Amino acid sequence: MAEQSARFREVLATDGRAIKLIQLFDYLVARSSESRAPKEVEIAMSVFDKSADFDTSQDSTVRAYVYRLRQRLEAFNAGAGGARLHIPKGEYRLLLLQAADDTEPGDTPPPAAMPTSAGEQRVGMALGAAFVTSALLWLLLWGWSAGRTQPAVPPLAQSQLWKPIAAHPHSPVIAVSDFYMVAEGGGDGQIARLVMHSGIQSSLDLDTYLGQRPQLYPALHDRDIYRIPSSVAMAAVTTLSLAGDVRQDHAMGDIVPVSKISQDMIDTRNVIYVAPFSQLGKLRSPILPILGYAPGSDFEEIRDTATGQTFRAKTDSATTSSENQAGTAMGYDYGYVASFPGRAGNRTIVIAGIEDAALAQIVRIVADKRQLDAISRRIGPAAAFEALFQFRTVGNLVFEARLINSRLLKITPGGTAQQ
């Protein structure tokens, strides 16, 4: 176990993005000598810093990472003989299988044989014969149909949005938006609080901002702190699962904060951005010139760059009355999706919303082939397109979704778009 673990860990360490996978692997190695497999919530608390009230039904972080680790192990074991590391399907424990083991990975070893009566032996033989006959029948049926049918393609993989992701040889990168936090404090260097500023989304933005307002130098500080809201993280994990479901190999991609994404990823991998729309201004790529929409003057606004029309998330004051005893007014929110080709045959997808309700709803829309087909019917076959949805909301609940605009994006050689 120690030898195989050291070899595999060395391979994992060559990937600078696999820090959490390494931590998960180390944890499973440490628990491998115990007779009881660790529970999902134990892994969540020990590896992913979750609290004791972690809800496994709402957060699939542990399952997603164990799936990725199992894939890495299978790739590591491919073609190798001798002992091999293995994580059984549906379990959270690390095993060492020997070359002489007859048990296939994921199978449950048969129980020890018990003495049986003659009657039980006859029943067992009859059941065994029936099983063999059934197995032969299925083999014959499979052999008859082989070459006549292909494995079923998930319906979502045939949609205009997901087809390039399903067909690409590599799994995508889920680029999750992280908010740059400005540290506010006095001239003594003590930090009083961390704040978000719509015009300051990186340390470079802060330098520019302070260059124009030198009197604020003692009050604003760069501590290289970024924050990912839970709503954005949940949308990213759901998108990660979708991206794996549409692929024949079900390969899970990587979740990378936008602040850490590299130029190589943008140039060679399919990148799916999951973000509040206001955060698109900080992406390290020429995405904004390609899109037909841009963040408005603050966090609550989307602007159509072609017409100048603005769309603002707002509460409908007409519904705020004494009749609304709960104090929750109806309002509007907006979600956005776009897809366009990269420079090296890869694909960029943007999934965004103004507020949390819109971001969660637009993730549901990209998981619904009927909604995606509605966009396709309006724009026809297109290598690049975008769509804007309006949502009628009550708090964080969405009661109505309306596609208000969808159009082609014509990518020019200079990396801009013409609607």
Side-chain angles (χ1 to χ4, degrees):
M1 173 68 79
E3 179 185 352
Q4 291 296 320
S5 298
R7 289 180 56 212
F8 178 67
R9 195 183 192 282
E10 185 177 356
V11 173
L12 272 185
T14 61
D15 184 354
R17 301 165 297 162
I19 297 175
K20 278 298 178 185
L21 279 181
I22 293 174
Q23 294 174 355
L24 173 61
F25 178 69
D26 289 345
Y27 177 83
L28 294 180
V29 170
R31 297 288 300 268
S32 63
S33 60
E34 300 179 12
S35 58
R36 181 183 67 85
K39 297 180 180 179
E40 184 175 350
V41 68
E42 293 177 298
I43 298 174
M45 295 172 63
S46 300
V47 180
F48 299 97
D49 300 321
K50 302 290 186 180
S51 61
D53 59 354
F54 171 73
D55 188 351
T56 58
S57 66
Q58 298 296 322
D59 191 332
S60 60
T61 300
V62 174
R63 296 189 295 276
Y65 271 89
V66 170
Y67 177 86
R68 290 171 55 193
L69 185 61
R70 185 183 293 112
Q71 283 196 316
R72 293 289 187 96
L73 281 171
E74 290 174 357
F76 176 74
N77 292 328
R84 62 195 186 278
L85 297 172
H86 172 63
I87 300 176
K89 292 182 180 179
E91 298 186 36
Y92 302 115
R93 60 181 176 135
L94 189 67
L95 301 177
L96 184 69
L97 301 181
Q98 301 297 332
D101 287 350
D102 293 328
T103 305
E104 290 294 327
D107 286 350
T108 303
M114 298 292 290
T116 60
S117 66
E120 288 173 332
Q121 290 179 354
R122 286 194 295 271
V123 171
M125 292 174 62
L127 289 174
F131 173 79
V132 171
T133 303
S134 177
L136 288 174
L137 177 60
W138 279 111
L139 284 173
L140 288 172
L141 288 173
W142 179 86
W144 177 82
S145 62
R148 292 172 171 81
T149 60
Q150 297 296 326
V153 178
L156 203 60
Q158 303 173 44
S159 66
Q160 201 164 339
L161 181 71
W162 291 107
K163 197 171 185 178
I165 305 300
H168 199 274
H170 302 298
S171 59
V173 171
I174 312 299
V176 57
S177 174
D178 49 346
F179 291 78
Y180 176 75
M181 307 298 293
V182 179
E184 287 188 349
D188 57 0
Q190 296 296 317
I191 303 303
R193 62 174 184 160
L194 298 173
V195 298
M196 290 187 297
H197 192 296
S198 61
I200 305 175
Q201 299 189 9
S202 67
S203 57
L204 181 61
D205 287 347
L206 180 59
D207 289 342
T208 302
Y209 185 83
L210 291 176
Q212 298 169 352
R213 303 165 182 82
Q215 72 276 13
L216 296 179
Y217 265 108
L220 304 181
H221 309 275
D222 174 27
R223 292 294 185 267
D224 195 30
I225 297 174
Y226 289 84
R227 171 180 174 268
I228 299 177
S230 59
S231 58
V232 178
M234 182 61 69
V237 171
T238 303
T239 305
L240 177 72
S241 178
L242 281 175
D245 289 344
V246 300
R247 296 176 58 86
Q248 287 288 336
D249 57 5
H250 297 291
M252 300 285 279
D254 298 303
I255 294 182
V256 180
V258 169
S259 63
K260 303 299 182 183
I261 199 166
S262 67
Q263 188 64 49
D264 180 66
M265 291 180 185
I266 294 173
D267 291 340
T268 61
R269 301 276 296 274
N270 290 326
V271 181
I272 304 174
Y273 290 98
V274 179
F277 199 87
S278 61
Q279 295 303 102
L280 294 181
K282 72 183 228 181
L283 300 181
R284 299 182 193 173
S285 65
I287 284 184
L288 281 179
I290 291 176
L291 306 181
Y293 294 89
S297 57
D298 55 32
F299 289 122
E300 305 299 320
E301 192 174 87
I302 292 177
R303 178 173 53 85
D304 188 328
T305 57
T307 66
Q309 183 179 6
T310 59
F311 303 88
R312 172 173 288 273
K314 61 182 179 180
T315 299
D316 189 347
S317 58
T319 64
T320 307
S321 65
S322 58
E323 296 178 2
N324 189 354
Q325 299 297 327
T328 303
M330 296 187 70
Y332 295 96
D333 205 349
Y334 293 87
Y336 176 84
V337 60
S339 176
F340 54 90
R343 291 176 293 183
N346 56 330
R347 173 69 45 169
T348 298
I349 293 176
V350 177
I351 299 171
I354 291 184
E355 295 185 342
D356 291 349
L359 181 58
Q361 190 65 24
I362 203 69
V363 170
R364 293 187 183 96
I365 284 176
V366 299
D368 187 341
K369 189 172 183 296
R370 294 173 301 173
Q371 298 270 20
L372 297 178
D373 287 345
I375 298 175
S376 298
R377 285 194 294 270
R378 294 181 62 165
I379 62 175
F385 65 92
E386 63 182 353
L388 183 69
F389 288 81
Q390 182 188 70
F391 304 121
R392 188 72 163 159
T393 63
V394 175
N396 284 328
L397 302 177
V398 174
F399 286 90
E400 181 185 1
R402 185 167 66 94
L403 176 60
I404 60 176
N405 190 20
S406 58
R407 60 193 177 191
L408 304 180
L409 292 175
K410 298 179 181 178
I411 311 299
T412 66
T416 59
Q418 298 174 342
Q419 288 82 35

